[in-house]
Amino acid sequence: MSRRTAGSSLIVAASALILPLLAPLPVAGGAPAEQVSRTAASTAATTATAATKAITVSAAADAHVMRNRPQRNFGKATRLRVDGSPKANTYLKFEVGGLSATPEKVTLKLYSRANSAGAVRLHAVRKTGWAERRLTWRNAPEVGTQLDAARRIAEGRWVSFDVSKRVSGNGKVAFAVTTNGTGGAAFVSREGARKPRLVIEAAAAKPVVVAAAGDVACAPEDEQFNDGEGGPNRCHMKATSQLILDLAPKEVFALGDLQYNDGSLARFNASYDLSWGKFKSKTRPVVGNHEYGTAGAAGYFKYFGDAATPRQKGCRSDCQGYYSFDVGAWHAVVLNTECEELNNGDGCAKGSPQQRWLANDLARSSNACTVALLHKPRWSSNSLVEPGLAPLVKTLYDANVDLMLAGHSHSYERFAPQDDQGNLDRKRGIRQIVVGTGGAFFTGFAETQPNSVVRKANIFGVLKLTLRSDRYAWKFLADPETPFSDTGRGTCH
C-alpha cells in the first residue's frame, strides 16, 4: 500500500469523533455523515486532540462470496452481501501503515444499503493473501473468532464494529461479516463512494529530532589532524560531534565520505571512531566515493556492520549499501550514489536493481513523509554533482518524496522544492539540502544553480531536523569557529 498512488488508503480523518460501539451515525439531508478526502496522494492524519490523532484507512480489498455459487467471484460488485439463505459472507482486507504507536481504539465502519433482517457478526480472518478479483466461496479463507456484532441495521447509516483487539499496529488485517439467521444485510463496497474503512485512534507521535551531515573525518596522517582536535580549516570532526552530543538526537544521518581519504578500516578506527564513533549505535550511514577508495568499500561495511547493510545482513562482498528504515512517523531511503560501483557501472539507471528496489520500497510505504539520504547531490552550485542520479531522483519525485539530504560538496546549500528536472515545484517538489559540513575540509561554489536559496561555504556544522507526522523543521547548527545559521520548515506532500 502506498500513500502516493491514486488507490492510496491512508487518508485524513474528517474528525476525531469516534462513535460509540454499534451506534449508527445519523445522516442529514441524505448526505453521508462522514466524508473522506479523495485526493490522489494521502496526506498526514490531522491531530484530533493534543494527545491523540485519528486516521482513516480505506479497504484495500473486499468481496462477498455465496455458497450456492461456489466458483463465482463478486469482486467488482458495489454491494457487499451478508445472508443466511442463500448463505453469503463478506470479506474485507485493510493495509495499515504510518502508525508509530499502538492504537488506542480501532473501529471498522460499513455503510448500510438496506435494512437488516437480523444480526450480523464481525469475525477475524487470519489469512490475508486472498485477492479481491479471485475470491470465491470455494477458496475463501476460514472465518475466525467473532469480534463484535450488530443488530437492527438501518439503511443509509454507518455501522460500527470495535476491532481494537485485532489491529495492534502496521500491516495487513482481514475480517469477515456473517449471519447465522435467515435474514441478511448489504453494505457499500470499496467500489462505492462510502467505502469500508478503519478509523484508528492512536497516541499522537512525538516529534523526532535527528542530526545530519556528511564529509566528516580527515585522515589521521593529515597535517591538521592534531590527535583528532583539528586545525584552522580542517579536521573539525570532534567539534561537529560535540554539536551532535549536545543535541542528543534520536538518530544520526551520516551522509557519506565519512572517513578520508580511502575509507580503510584502520583509518575509521583511528579518526572517525574518536569523534562520530561516539554515536555509532544510532547512526544511519551512507556510503560515499571516498569509502570506495578501499575496494568494495570494505572498510566502511566492516566498520558499520549490519547497520550499513540492513537488506544484506552479514554481507562480506558485493555489498550494495542501499536500504530503508522508519524513524518516528517518517520513512527514509538510503541510496548508493556511487553508480559506477554497482550493476557493472550502471547502478543508478532506470531498471537497475537499485532503481527497481527503490520504486518497490516507496510503493510499499504508507508513511505520510519521506526523506532520501544520499552522498552525491543531484544539484549543486559547483561541479560536485551527479547527473547519473536522474533516474533515482525521478523515482523519488514520482513517489512524492519530501526531502533529500546529500553531502559531497563541502559546504551548505539549500534548494527550493524542485521536480526531477530541476524545475521549481512548490506543490510536490523535493527540497534538497546539501550538508557536506561534517568536519573534513572546505570546498567552495562556482556558478549559482537555479532554485538555490541559501549557500554558505567555509563552514562546519550539522543539520538539525525535527520530524513530525505531517511536517518538518530544519536548523543548521554551526561549529562556533565558523558561525552561520539557516532555519525553516516544510509540510509533507
Side-chain angles (χ1 to χ4, degrees):
M1 177 182 68
S2 171
R3 70 174 178 96
R4 305 168 179 87
T5 61
S8 173
S9 58
L10 179 62
I11 53 180
V12 178
S15 73
L17 179 63
I18 304 299
L19 300 180
L21 180 62
L22 307 183
L25 185 63
V27 177
E34 182 182 26
Q35 295 290 343
V36 178
S37 168
R38 299 182 188 178
T39 54
S42 301
T43 57
T46 53
T47 303
T49 69
T52 63
K53 66 176 182 179
I55 63 173
T56 298
V57 179
S58 296
D62 60 22
H64 66 267
V65 298
M66 299 186 67
R67 184 161 55 190
N68 65 339
R69 297 182 181 180
Q71 298 186 66
R72 175 77 179 274
N73 171 259
F74 298 92
K76 294 182 180 180
T78 60
R79 180 185 297 247
L80 298 170
R81 293 189 58 184
V82 181
D83 212 330
S85 182
K87 184 69 174 176
N89 296 335
T90 280
Y91 285 83
L92 306 112
K93 179 166 58 177
F94 298 84
E95 297 180 0
V96 179
L99 298 179
S100 57
T102 301
E104 296 179 355
K105 183 178 181 181
V106 184
T107 306
L108 169 63
K109 303 187 72 174
L110 303 175
Y111 193 82
S112 173
R113 290 192 58 173
N115 295 327
S116 70
V120 296
R121 295 169 170 79
L122 192 283
H123 303 261
V125 173
R126 183 173 61 85
K127 293 185 177 180
T128 60
W130 51 272
E132 178 181 272
R133 299 298 173 86
R134 294 197 295 270
L135 187 70
T136 66
W137 181 274
R138 180 162 292 178
N139 65 22
E142 181 180 359
V143 174
T145 305
Q146 180 176 319
L147 301 173
D148 207 344
R151 300 177 182 275
R152 298 184 299 278
I153 299 171
E155 181 180 357
R157 304 291 178 90
W158 286 100
V159 183
S160 300
F161 301 90
D162 188 345
V163 294
S164 303
K165 294 181 180 179
R166 181 63 176 162
V167 181
S168 58
N170 297 321
K172 296 180 180 179
V173 61
F175 304 97
V177 187
T178 71
T179 181
N180 290 337
T182 56
F187 304 98
V188 176
S189 76
R190 78 187 191 102
E191 283 72 23
R194 303 169 189 176
K195 57 191 67 178
R197 60 197 61 172
L198 292 178
V199 179
I200 306 173
E201 290 182 289
K206 295 181 180 179
V208 171
V209 174
V210 301
D215 308 277
V216 176
C218 67
E221 64 270 22
D222 190 293
E223 61 181 9
Q224 292 192 33
F225 180 69
N226 191 23
D227 292 327
E229 299 299 329
N233 54 13
R234 299 176 69 88
C235 307
H236 280 223
M237 53 277 186
K238 276 196 175 181
T240 56
S241 72
Q242 187 59 52
L243 294 172
I244 296 175
L245 290 171
D246 292 343
L247 183 60
K250 180 177 178 62
E251 293 187 357
V252 175
F253 298 165
L255 303 175
D257 278 5
L258 306 180
Q259 179 58 64
Y260 286 83
N261 281 323
D262 60 3
S264 69
L265 181 59
R267 288 187 172 90
F268 262 106
N269 288 328
S271 181
Y272 182 94
D273 200 61
L274 300 180
S275 53
W276 284 45
K278 296 174 183 177
F279 30 84
K280 180 180 176 181
S281 63
K282 61 171 69 175
T283 295
R284 301 288 189 169
V286 180
V287 66
N289 55 291
H290 276 275
E291 274 73 51
Y292 279 100
T294 297
Y300 164 86
F301 288 114
K302 180 70 173 178
Y303 180 79
F304 287 105
D306 288 346
T309 59
R311 298 174 47 255
Q312 303 172 286
K313 289 187 176 180
C315 171
R316 296 186 179 182
S317 63
D318 192 29
C319 299
Q320 296 165 356
Y322 52 87
Y323 61 95
S324 67
F325 62 96
D326 287 342
V327 52
W330 280 60
H331 186 60
V333 290
V334 175
L335 302 182
N336 186 336
T337 58
E338 301 313 301
C339 306
E340 70 281 0
E341 299 291 344
L342 301 173
N343 198 38
N344 296 318
D346 208 13
C348 303
K350 181 179 179 180
S352 66
Q354 180 171 207
Q355 189 275 328
R356 294 198 309 270
W357 165 84
L358 177 62
N360 291 332
D361 180 86
L362 293 173
R364 287 193 300 269
S365 171
S366 59
N367 301 60
C369 306
T370 304
V371 58
L373 310 183
L374 303 79
H375 175 57
K376 290 180 178 176
R378 178 65 182 92
W379 301 284
S380 178
S381 293
N382 55 33
S383 61
L384 300 172
V385 65
E386 180 51 72
L389 296 176
L392 299 183
V393 174
K394 180 174 178 11
T395 303
L396 297 173
Y397 177 75
D398 288 345
N400 286 327
V401 167
D402 305 284
L403 189 60
M404 188 162 67
L405 306 180
H408 195 52
S409 172
H410 297 197
S411 52
Y412 179 85
E413 186 169 20
R414 174 167 56 84
F415 287 81
Q418 302 176 97
D419 66 14
D420 61 295
Q421 299 298 312
N423 301 310
L424 184 66
D425 184 351
R426 297 193 183 280
K427 184 176 181 180
R428 54 181 293 261
I430 303 172
R431 174 176 277 118
Q432 180 191 262
I433 304 178
V434 180
V435 200
T437 56
F441 52 89
F442 302 140
T443 58
F445 293 109
E447 183 178 350
T448 300
Q449 291 299 301
N451 303 315
S452 175
V453 179
V454 175
R455 296 165 304 285
K456 180 64 176 176
N458 301 332
I459 57 168
F460 296 121
V462 300
L463 186 68
K464 173 188 176 182
L465 284 173
T466 303
L467 307 177
R468 301 180 184 272
S469 60
D470 59 348
R471 60 195 186 279
Y472 59 98
W474 69 86
K475 181 177 183 179
F476 186 82
L477 305 177
D479 177 347
E481 293 189 17
T482 59
F484 168 73
S485 180
D486 180 47
T487 62
R489 62 186 62 191
T491 302
C492 298
H493 305 318

